[in-house]
Every structure is written in C-alpha cells, then in structure tokens.
C-alpha cells in the first residue's frame, strides 16, 4: 500500500520517529495513525531490548529532598554519552525515578539484587501464614510463589508500577527512553534516607 507522505510527516511530528520507521508503521497498519503510533512503540521497545546489553558509563546523579526535609533520595542513572546525560528529557527521567524511590521505598533496583536471605525470610512468612490451611504442599508452594511475585513488584524498583502512569512499570519507562534516545540507560544505584531510620 502506498502511504501518503503527509501522513508520514504527521506521524513523524507526533512521535519523533524516523521517516522510514513511520512509513513502515503506516504501511503495516493500513494508514491508521493511532495504530501506527502503537506499532512504533512496539518497534522502539524491541530496539531498546537490543541496546540494553551496551555499556553505559555516562549519566547523572540526582537528589530529591521531600518537603519538610525528613526524606531524601540520591539516585545514579547511567547512559552511553554525556550528550544524552545533559538533555532535559534525561534529567526529567532521572528526577522521576528519584520521586518514585521516595514515594515507594524499594529495596533494590532489580529482583536479582534483593538478597537471598530476604527472599527466604519472605517465603517463611508466607508459609507460616498458610499453616493449618489444610492445603496440599504443592498448592502452598504455588501460593508462596504468587505472593513472592507480588513482593518483587513492590520491592524491586524496575518492577514497580510507575507512580505517574501505573499502566507501565519503571522498567517499561526506562525502555521507552532507551528507544527514544537510542542508547542504553541503566539505573545503577540509589540510597533513600528517612530521618531517624538506620
């Protein structure tokens, strides 16, 4: 199907995607702009997945102090170039991640970084809650695994629903920015301080 160049221009203006990508998306969706936007997002996420293995050594550290000065966050987010690190969009992303950490208090960036000791303790608690329920052991283990998944969604920053758009996770948000910038982005580390807490 031949695509109207005006539609390509309109889609490019809406998304900032390249001309060829816009053309492909419109061809695939029969000229439907809304579906083409969705198609571009899927293409961008797929490209982002490939970029996630690249090394990210540039970036910024952001600090957020909650009003009242009783809660603060430091977060380091890396990208591949200082050009991207100095853009307002990247700075906004990092600040939003700092706000997320302040609001939700995750234990680690990813589930792999949560210590085995904490995971085992959680499992023990879930099993203790199910004691005396007369459920077979294999059912109890399935329930424990389900509760553990919920725990990871709360405790691992990348798996949390993004506070400004709960339809996506923080991990999805980072992938969107990887697709937008064409560079790998890594949340390297964070520290959350609450007055009086160890």
């Amino acid at each position: 199907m031949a695509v109207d160049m005006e539609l390509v221009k309109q889609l490019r203006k809406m998304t900032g995607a390249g001309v060829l990508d816009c053309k492909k998306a419109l061809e695939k969706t029969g000229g439907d702009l809304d579906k083409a936007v969705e198609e571009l997002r899927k293409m961008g996420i797929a490209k982002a997945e490939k970029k996630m293995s690249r090394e990210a050594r540039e970036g910024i550290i952001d600090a957020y102090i909650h009003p009242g000065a009783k809660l603060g966050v430091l977060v380091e987010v890396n990208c591949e170039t200082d050009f991207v690190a100095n853009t307002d969009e990247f700075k906004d992303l990092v600040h939003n991640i700092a706000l997320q950490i302040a609001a939700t208090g995750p234990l680690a960036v990813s589930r792999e970084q949560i210590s085995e000791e904490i995971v085992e303790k959680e499992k023990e608690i879930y099993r203790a809650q199910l004691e005396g329920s007369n459920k077979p052991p294999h059912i109890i283990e399935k329930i424990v695994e389900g509760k553990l998944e919920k725990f990871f969604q709360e405790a691992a920053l990348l798996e949390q629903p993004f506070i400004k758009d709960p339809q996506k996770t923080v991990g999805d948000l980072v992938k969107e920015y990887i697709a937008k910038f064409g560079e790998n982005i890594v949340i390297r580390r964070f520290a959350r301080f609450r007055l009086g807490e160890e």
Side-chain angles (χ1 to χ4, degrees):
M1 169 196 155
V3 176
D4 180 9
M5 280 316 285
E6 284 305 310
L7 269 179
V8 173
K9 283 182 191 170
Q10 197 177 338
L11 183 59
R12 185 167 158 68
K13 193 174 178 184
M14 288 166 67
T15 63
V19 174
L20 276 177
D21 286 340
C22 288
K23 195 168 183 281
K24 280 182 194 167
L26 284 164
E27 283 170 357
K28 193 167 182 180
T29 60
D32 183 316
L33 266 178
D34 291 334
K35 286 183 181 167
V37 169
E38 188 60 35
E39 186 61 31
L40 281 172
R41 285 188 65 209
K42 287 178 192 165
M43 287 164 58
I45 297 299
K47 286 180 185 173
E49 298 276 354
K50 290 179 190 164
K51 289 179 174 47
M52 289 177 78
S53 62
R54 298 197 322 212
E55 197 162 3
R57 290 185 176 267
E58 295 296 329
I60 60 172
I61 294 172
D62 189 51
Y64 168 74
I65 307 296
H66 193 67
K70 295 195 186 316
L71 174 70
V73 170
L74 276 175
V75 63
E76 177 184 348
V77 181
N78 300 133
C79 55
E80 293 178 44
T81 63
D82 62 346
F83 174 77
V84 166
N86 289 318
T87 63
D88 288 340
E89 276 186 291
F90 185 78
K91 290 174 184 171
D92 282 347
L93 168 67
V94 178
H95 192 65
N96 279 329
I97 291 168
L99 290 174
Q100 176 84 22
I101 295 164
T104 61
L107 297 179
V109 174
S110 67
R111 68 169 60 194
E112 293 77 22
Q113 293 173 344
I114 298 172
S115 77
E116 194 57 41
E117 190 181 318
I118 290 172
V119 173
E120 285 307 315
K121 191 170 237 59
E122 286 298 313
K123 284 182 179 178
E124 278 176 37
I125 291 167
Y126 303 146
R127 286 187 188 110
Q129 290 170 346
L130 294 165
E131 258 179 39
S133 65
N134 296 327
K135 290 184 176 19
H138 71 282
I139 298 293
I140 287 175
E141 283 311 304
K142 276 193 181 215
I143 293 170
V144 166
E145 288 305 313
K147 286 178 176 262
L148 199 58
E149 277 303 308
K150 182 106 177 79
F151 166 75
F152 285 133
Q153 287 168 12
E154 292 170 6
L157 176 62
L158 291 172
E159 296 185 36
Q160 291 180 338
F162 179 45
I163 53 173
K164 291 187 174 179
D165 181 0
Q167 298 302 311
K168 61 181 148 196
T169 65
V170 173
D172 294 336
L173 176 72
V174 170
K175 283 180 190 170
E176 283 177 16
Y177 276 83
I178 292 171
K180 184 180 284 190
F181 290 128
E183 289 193 10
N184 191 15
I185 296 171
V186 177
I187 302 172
R188 182 75 59 210
R189 57 191 164 165
F190 67 84
R192 184 176 185 269
F193 304 92
R194 184 185 287 278
L195 197 67
E197 276 184 3
E198 286 298 317

